[in-house]
Every structure is written in C-alpha cells, then in structure tokens.
Amino acid sequence: MEANIFNITNLVRENIKSLKPYASARDEFKDFDNEMVFLDANENPFENGVNRYPDPQQTRVKNKLSDLKGVPINQILLGNGSDEVLDLIFRAFCEPKQDTIITLPPTYGMYKVLANINNIEDNEVLLTTNFEPNVDEILKVANANSKLLFLCSPNNPTGNSFSNESVEKLLKSFNGLVVIDEAYIDFSSQKSWLERLSEFPNLIITQTLSKAYGMAGIRLGICYASEEIIAVLNKIKPPYNVNELTQQRALKRILTKNKVRNEIEKILEQRDKLIAKLKLISFIEKVYPTDANFVLVKVDDATKRYGQLIEKGIVIRNRTTQPLCKNTLRLTVGTKSENIKLINALKEL
Ligand SMILES: *Cc1c(COP(=O)(O)O)cnc(C)c1O
C-alpha cells in the first residue's frame, strides 16, 4: 500500500463513523486551573483531593509524555492500562463476525482474548523457530477483512525484538493497521518505532507504565498513532477512563525520569547476571536471548520444575502449552536477593 493513498476512514466501523460521542460536563468546560465556580457535574463541593471528576483528556500527563517522546499531544491517547487501549482499537476498527485480526503466537494472550470478546476471528501465523514474524505467510493470510496485525516487540513470552526489516516490510505491505506493542521497549537495545511514527499512517504503537516504569498498580496504557487514528479512539473512549490518582502518580513518576532510568539499568544488570547463572543449571537446556525484563528458558520438564519452584515459594510462568514453547518457563528478573533465591532454589532441584 502506498502511504499517500492510505485512508483511515475506510477502516473505521460504520457505526463508529456516524457516532456522536458522549459529551461530559468536563468536556464542555475545560479550564481546570482557574478560580471558576464549578456547578456543572453534580460533584460534592467539599475538597478532599478527588471530589472532582478527572481531566478526561489527561492534558498534564500527555504534555509530559509529549516532551519526553517528541510526539504531539494530539497523537497520544491514554487508557486504563494498555488492555483498555487495545480494546478501544478493536471496537473502533473491527466489525464483529466480519473483520479479522492476525496475531503471531507465541505472543501476549490478550490480543486473542479481546478478539474473542469482540467476536472477531483471530488468524494465527506462528513465529518462525527463531521467533521472528513469518512475513510471507502473514501477507498470504491477510485479506480485505484483516483489519489489525499485532506485533509484540520485544515479544512476550519469547523476549526477543523482531527484526527491523520484517517490521518495516509488514508496515509497508499490510493493508490494515499494524499495532506494535512496545510494553517492554524501555528494557530493549532496539529503538522504539515511535521515531518513525510519521512515516507510517497505519502504525499504532502501544506502551505502558506497567513494566519498566514500575506502575502496574495504577493502570496507565499509552497509545501513539496518527492524529486521525487518535481522534477515532478519542470518540469512543469512556469519558473518565484514567482516574485522578493515576494521573497524579503517573505525572510524578514521569518527572523522575532519572530514577526510572536507574532502576532499568539495575534490572538489566541483574538480568545479565541471572542469565549467566541459569546457563549453569543442569536441567536448563536453553536460555533464549532476551531484550526484556524476563528470560525464557527451556528445561527438561517445565510442569515438574514449575511445581517444584512453587513448593519452594517461588512463582514463575509455565509457558509449555504455548506453540513453539514446549517445556519452557518464563522468569521475571527480580531484585538481586530475589534472583539469588531463584538460583539457589534451582540448584537444589
Ligand atoms: C504486560 C504487558 C502489557 C501491559 O498491559 P497493561 O494493561 O498496560 O498493564 C501489554 N502488552 C504486553 C505484551 C505485556 O506483556
């Protein structure tokens, strides 16, 4: 597809095209900071920090992200975790029982769950044995109803980033939207696709504060895309989808950029030490290369080893039922003392 003939309105569901969005009180009057008397939203007027509805457009958080990432604010949408962002993408672009998506297992399970919830067929194209997208096969499977292609890079649970050549070829050749899930990008040695967002009108990038930013508990997912795509998603998002406490904590955390950087460096240092020690465990047959804060390993009997670790009070993820992942375990990199506990427990088995 030529970038210049790409027209987003051809991909939007008919009912969404004609939808008139709900206008909340705070949508109609936006001046938050001034000394106006607010009697428009039926709130309790006694101040306690959260008695007012939150900013539906999360302007302060977006401004900071915009500074940090160099993306204009009208190309950013925030959600209650990336999971909400992904669900909005389904609901905007996929007509139930008619449109389809393409996912590349083994990958993040949520894409398929959201497809099932939204009654959208999921066409699966397995990754190659070295966990890269099978580009030719993906393009063969794609048809006029294929609205979304999910690329998780770095990929969960395999840990690797996809090659730039494969991703670029898919961005240029797939006739729907390409969603690159960059949940682990801050751990990666690869650059974010954000730098090249303006080159690809069909590109949607999702990120999250749940992993490297250490804020899984506040639920904040981020979507970067063209102004046109963001406008469609804004039209259908629940008005107050990101609560006030989340906005406050996210803002504070984004402002302490150096602290986050520091934690990421420590995690990466621990990851490399952990990998070196995992390679010495007799029943670990393979430690897969990783670009994220977790490591996939192949063992003799994943279900047995998983159970033994639980007995020792250590919870990891058994991925043995995933395609191409027989007898694999996924280990999150913890603190130094947690990783030592893990290694000691593995040695004792
Ligand atoms: C953890 C994870 C997310 C994060 O989802 P949130 O809803 O933002 O917590 C998204 N994508 C992948 C691949 C993940 O592993």
Side-chain angles (χ1 to χ4, degrees):
M1 177 191 325
E2 290 295 324
N4 53 8
I5 62 159
F6 182 83
N7 187 348
I8 185 67
T9 53
N10 295 337
L11 293 177
V12 181
R13 290 170 65 199
E14 286 303 325
N15 64 315
I16 303 297
K17 261 185 237 173
S18 53
L19 179 80
K20 215 177 159 308
Y22 174 73
S24 70
R26 280 299 172 273
D27 267 322
E28 286 179 9
F29 197 89
K30 298 183 167 79
D31 266 330
F32 270 74
D33 288 327
N34 64 18
E35 295 297 305
M36 305 287 278
V37 175
F38 282 105
L39 303 175
D40 57 343
N42 303 340
E43 297 147 333
N44 177 329
F46 297 102
E47 290 297 335
N48 62 19
V50 289
N51 58 312
R52 299 292 176 186
Y53 278 100
D55 173 4
Q57 279 300 321
Q58 311 98 19
T59 309
R60 289 194 192 95
V61 181
K62 281 187 193 166
N63 275 331
K64 277 291 150 240
L65 283 172
S66 172
D67 288 349
L68 192 68
K69 307 279 183 175
V71 177
I73 180 165
N74 61 5
Q75 289 186 250
I76 306 176
L77 176 118
L78 301 182
N80 184 23
S82 341
D83 292 344
E84 183 186 39
V85 169
L86 295 171
D87 187 52
L88 290 173
I89 296 169
F90 270 93
R91 290 197 280 151
F93 299 105
C94 297
E95 191 62 36
K97 294 187 185 176
Q98 174 186 313
D99 291 332
T100 61
I101 63 160
I102 299 178
T103 62
L104 316 181
T107 193
Y108 188 44
M110 206 57 199
Y111 315 135
K112 191 178 195 61
V113 171
L114 289 169
N116 287 339
I117 292 169
N118 288 289
N119 210 353
I120 302 299
E121 188 182 314
D122 177 16
N123 294 317
E124 299 186 330
V125 179
L126 284 194
L127 294 175
T128 63
T129 48
N130 57 344
F131 300 144
E132 284 286 337
N134 188 338
V135 175
D136 293 339
E137 191 60 28
I138 293 166
L139 296 176
K140 219 185 286 171
V141 165
N143 60 36
N145 291 326
S146 310
K147 290 293 182 72
L148 306 173
L149 166 63
F150 286 92
L151 305 178
C152 184
S153 183
N155 186 41
N156 178 3
T158 60
N160 62 304
S161 295
F162 295 156
S163 85
N164 288 331
E165 295 71 35
S166 297
V167 174
E168 181 157 355
K169 175 126 196 250
L170 289 167
L171 279 165
K172 285 180 172 160
S173 316
F174 181 68
N175 285 300
L177 299 169
V178 177
V179 181
I180 304 185
D181 184 339
E182 292 190 337
Y184 299 97
I185 194 65
D186 296 295
F187 297 110
S188 173
S189 53
Q190 299 279 317
K191 280 187 188 160
S192 167
W193 280 88
L194 213 44
E195 285 186 18
R196 301 185 60 189
L197 183 59
S198 58
E199 279 178 59
F200 305 104
N202 61 337
L203 171 58
I204 297 180
I205 295 168
T206 62
Q207 295 183 355
T208 177
L209 294 199
S210 294
K211 306 286 159 60
Y213 275 80
M215 307 212 98
I218 70 170
R219 313 303 303 129
L220 192 85
I222 310 160
C223 176
Y224 302 99
S226 70
E227 188 182 341
E228 291 76 17
I229 292 174
I230 295 299
V232 173
L233 297 177
N234 257 321
K235 207 161 115 163
I236 67 169
K237 85 171 186 64
Y240 305 115
N241 63 328
V242 180
N243 73 69
E244 178 63 26
L245 297 175
T246 295
Q247 293 188 42
Q248 288 176 13
R249 289 293 296 268
L251 190 63
K252 252 170 81 182
R253 185 70 168 164
I254 295 164
L255 289 170
T256 63
K257 211 169 71 179
N258 289 338
K259 200 168 172 218
V260 176
R261 209 358 85 195
N262 195 265
E263 288 177 12
I264 293 170
E265 273 166 21
K266 280 190 185 143
I267 292 167
L268 292 181
E269 221 171 87
Q270 280 301 312
R271 180 186 71 184
D272 294 343
K273 287 190 176 150
L274 181 64
I275 289 171
K277 289 183 182 139
L278 288 170
K279 287 181 172 165
L280 302 175
I281 303 291
S282 61
F283 58 84
I284 294 184
E285 293 165 12
K286 183 161 186 181
V287 180
Y288 292 91
T290 179
D291 216 14
N293 67 330
F294 57 84
V295 189
L296 189 75
V297 297
K298 192 178 191 74
V299 297
D300 53 348
D301 183 340
T303 304
K304 175 174 131 192
R305 301 305 181 187
Y306 174 81
Q308 287 176 324
L309 282 175
I310 295 269
E311 293 284 303
K312 291 183 175 289
I314 296 175
V315 188
I316 57 165
R317 201 87 203 269
N318 183 359
R319 297 284 74 190
T320 193
T321 58
Q322 300 296 299
L324 307 174
C325 289
K326 192 158 191 330
N327 280 323
T328 62
L329 299 169
R330 193 192 68 195
L331 319 169
T332 307
V333 179
T335 61
K336 185 175 178 183
S337 75
E338 287 172 335
N339 301 334
I340 289 172
K341 274 185 199 159
L342 170 65
I343 290 295
N344 287 340
L346 288 170
K347 280 183 187 161
E348 285 166 18
L349 301 187

